Amino acid sequence: MDNRAEKRRKKRMRRIMLMLIMLLPLFYIGVQLVLMVKASYQTQTVIADTMSDIIRCDGMLAMQEMQMEGRTDGILGYQVNNGERVSAGTQVVRIFADESSARSCAAAEKLTQQIETLENSQKNASADMEFLMNQNQQGIYSALNILESGNYAKLSSALADIQTAQNGMQLTAGTMTDLNGRIEELKAQRDAQQAASTYTALAAPQTGYFVSSDDSQKQIYSPQQLKDMTPLELNEALKTPQQANDPHLVGKLILDYRWHYYGIVPYKQASKFILGKQVEIAFPDASNERVPAVVAGVTVDEENQIAKIDLLCDYINSTVVTQEHARAEIIFATHNGLRIDRKALHIVEGQNCVFVKFGNIIYQRNIEILFENEDYILIPASYKRDVNEVKLFDEVIVQGADLYDEKIL
């Protein structure tokens, strides 16, 4: 009897073991399916961002300009920066006979700066030590700011201020004696360099904003011609290759700080350009700086599905004066908020929403769209129940199927 019971028990155990062996592959497949489902839900972190409403277009700048002729085979040495306002009679360029003359002139100017630094140091010799230390510190801060900005035009001036302050401290402390001997020595060197330099100086014939011929493009169409063009004519004109200035030009004078930008945009975008609307223009191929402008005109060509825009600007800088035919970004507005990938957007019962993953649970969160483009949407950073419920650093689902509120993964 006991033997029969033992046999039945062993037989039952074998059945259980066989069932477990048969279920093991199914269990493995189930685990893999769960992992695959979980892995199919891709998320992206919500971050703070700034997005701009931008239209990109091609166009031309229309400026009233005066050409400055007189270029020879010599070496040009510009005395003013692009975009700098000059008065009539201001020396803007020197034409040197050869490179040796140009180098001698540059050396003479450098020596003049050193002389001025030493003379200013003598004037500060009797100044208060604390004042000189503050002057030195301020010069260092200025130099660091200039280096960080990338615009080195004023760097030499900041370095001269530092040297002047440090020399003054040494004179005041008695570690440096009289500088007259050194000044006279530098003056002799400067006079020799000036004598070795020969050049022809050219002055601005009238007041305007200077731009060198090497850094600007040739004006192919006058402002009046650009103004009178139809959208189709402007569109064809934009196909004209850019051209370098004529060889005899040394530079130009932009005679008015007001200028126009005429561009071509798709017909469907013309409605955004409302007369009198304030916008900003940037020329990304040259600089990221934005300049203010106002919509001065819009001409629509329905047949060719294009529109000509006229933007009026009253701001001049070193980038603007170098442009002629340029690709532009027209910025209508800039928005701050939380950025979400557009793939995360869903519409449930007429409400914009996204699905947010917390742990292994998915929640539906309503959102209020502040701005959107083809890649991202921007929502307000402030939380508002049932209206705008996504918060900074939430993990929104950008890929996944069968999403619903409070789903357990």
Side-chain angles (χ1 to χ4, degrees), residues 28-147:
Y28 175 79
I29 293 173
V31 170
Q32 294 302 313
L33 286 173
V34 170
L35 292 175
M36 288 175 62
V37 169
K38 286 190 175 183
S40 66
Y41 290 98
Q42 295 183 8
T43 64
Q44 192 173 95
T45 304
V46 176
I47 63 172
D49 197 10
T50 298
M51 294 176 63
S52 296
D53 184 5
I54 295 176
I55 288 181
R56 295 172 176 84
C57 67
D58 194 15
M60 290 191 181
L61 287 80
M63 296 183 177
Q64 296 290 344
E65 66 176 42
M66 171 183 284
Q67 297 182 346
M68 292 183 59
E69 300 182 357
R71 188 168 189 168
T72 66
D73 293 332
I75 308 299
L76 296 183
Y78 291 103
Q79 303 301 108
V80 296
N81 298 317
N82 290 333
E84 185 174 338
R85 190 175 187 273
V86 296
S87 301
T90 302
Q91 186 179 117
V92 294
V93 63
R94 294 168 177 169
I95 304 177
F96 297 96
D98 49 38
E99 291 187 7
S100 176
S101 289
R103 286 195 297 268
S104 295
C105 184
E109 290 179 344
K110 186 175 181 180
L111 288 167
T112 298
Q113 292 178 351
Q114 294 178 17
I115 292 168
E116 291 176 352
T117 298
L118 294 177
E119 290 176 341
N120 290 333
S121 298
Q122 283 190 321
K123 294 176 183 178
N124 289 336
S126 59
D128 180 72
M129 181 63 77
E130 184 177 354
F131 169 80
L132 294 171
M133 292 176 66
N134 289 335
Q135 187 182 41
N136 179 63
Q137 189 175 35
Q138 186 60 46
I140 293 173
Y141 288 151
S142 297
L144 291 174
N145 289 334
I146 292 169
L147 289 171

Side-chain angles (χ1 to χ4, degrees), residues 22-307:
M22 292 175 66
L23 289 173
L24 184 61
L26 296 177
F27 176 76
Y28 175 79
I29 293 173
V31 170
Q32 294 302 313
L33 286 173
V34 170
L35 292 175
M36 288 175 62
V37 169
K38 286 190 175 183
S40 66
Y41 290 98
Q42 295 183 8
T43 64
Q44 192 173 95
T45 304
V46 176
I47 63 172
D49 197 10
T50 298
M51 294 176 63
S52 296
D53 184 5
I54 295 176
I55 288 181
R56 295 172 176 84
C57 67
D58 194 15
M60 290 191 181
L61 287 80
M63 296 183 177
Q64 296 290 344
E65 66 176 42
M66 171 183 284
Q67 297 182 346
M68 292 183 59
E69 300 182 357
R71 188 168 189 168
T72 66
D73 293 332
I75 308 299
L76 296 183
Y78 291 103
Q79 303 301 108
V80 296
N81 298 317
N82 290 333
E84 185 174 338
R85 190 175 187 273
V86 296
S87 301
T90 302
Q91 186 179 117
V92 294
V93 63
R94 294 168 177 169
I95 304 177
F96 297 96
D98 49 38
E99 291 187 7
S100 176
S101 289
R103 286 195 297 268
S104 295
C105 184
E109 290 179 344
K110 186 175 181 180
L111 288 167
T112 298
Q113 292 178 351
Q114 294 178 17
I115 292 168
E116 291 176 352
T117 298
L118 294 177
E119 290 176 341
N120 290 333
S121 298
Q122 283 190 321
K123 294 176 183 178
N124 289 336
S126 59
D128 180 72
M129 181 63 77
E130 184 177 354
F131 169 80
L132 294 171
M133 292 176 66
N134 289 335
Q135 187 182 41
N136 179 63
Q137 189 175 35
Q138 186 60 46
I140 293 173
Y141 288 151
S142 297
L144 291 174
N145 289 334
I146 292 169
L147 289 171
E148 186 176 356
S149 70
N151 183 6
Y152 307 131
K154 297 182 179 180
L155 181 59
S156 60
S157 177
L159 295 176
D161 290 341
I162 296 172
Q163 190 62 54
T164 298
Q166 292 181 353
N167 288 342
M169 286 190 288
Q170 293 185 64
L171 289 169
T172 302
T175 57
M176 181 183 292
T177 57
D178 183 60
L179 297 175
N180 288 327
R182 178 57 177 163
I183 292 174
E184 293 303 319
E185 180 184 345
L186 292 177
K187 284 182 177 180
Q189 295 178 16
R190 179 195 61 187
D191 294 343
Q193 293 290 352
Q194 287 177 340
S197 178
T198 57
Y199 58 83
T200 301
L202 294 180
Q206 68 179 78
T207 299
Y209 300 88
F210 180 78
V211 56
S212 75
S213 59
D214 293 338
D215 297 327
S216 59
Q217 304 167 18
K218 183 176 182 178
Q219 187 181 68
I220 302 175
Y221 302 99
S222 69
Q224 189 63 47
Q225 287 176 317
L226 291 172
K227 179 180 179 180
D228 295 339
M229 286 180 182
T230 65
L232 186 59
E233 289 172 340
L234 177 60
N235 196 42
E236 289 299 314
L238 291 174
K239 298 176 184 178
T240 305
Q242 297 181 15
Q243 299 180 27
N245 286 307
D246 296 332
H248 61 275
L249 291 184
V250 297
K252 302 178 183 179
L253 287 177
I254 308 302
L255 303 180
D256 194 345
Y257 63 89
R258 289 166 295 192
W259 51 276
H260 289 258
Y261 180 80
Y262 297 100
I264 293 295
V265 299
Y267 169 78
K268 293 182 179 180
Q269 295 180 340
S271 60
K272 293 182 69 69
F273 294 88
I274 302 170
L275 290 181
K277 185 177 181 62
Q278 298 288 331
V279 297
E280 292 180 311
I281 310 176
F283 301 103
D285 293 336
S287 170
N288 291 325
E289 184 177 1
R290 299 176 176 183
V291 296
V294 62
V295 179
V298 183
T299 306
V300 176
D301 184 343
E302 295 187 20
E303 181 180 352
N304 294 288
Q305 297 292 294
I306 58 175

Side-chain angles (χ1 to χ4, degrees), residues 2-26:
D2 291 339
N3 289 337
R4 287 197 298 270
E6 181 65 20
K7 289 180 180 181
R8 286 196 298 269
R9 187 180 68 80
K10 289 182 177 180
K11 188 176 182 179
R12 191 181 307 114
M13 289 296 297
R14 284 195 297 269
R15 288 177 179 174
I16 293 174
M17 292 296 296
L18 182 61
M19 289 178 64
L20 290 175
I21 292 172
M22 292 175 66
L23 289 173
L24 184 61
L26 296 177

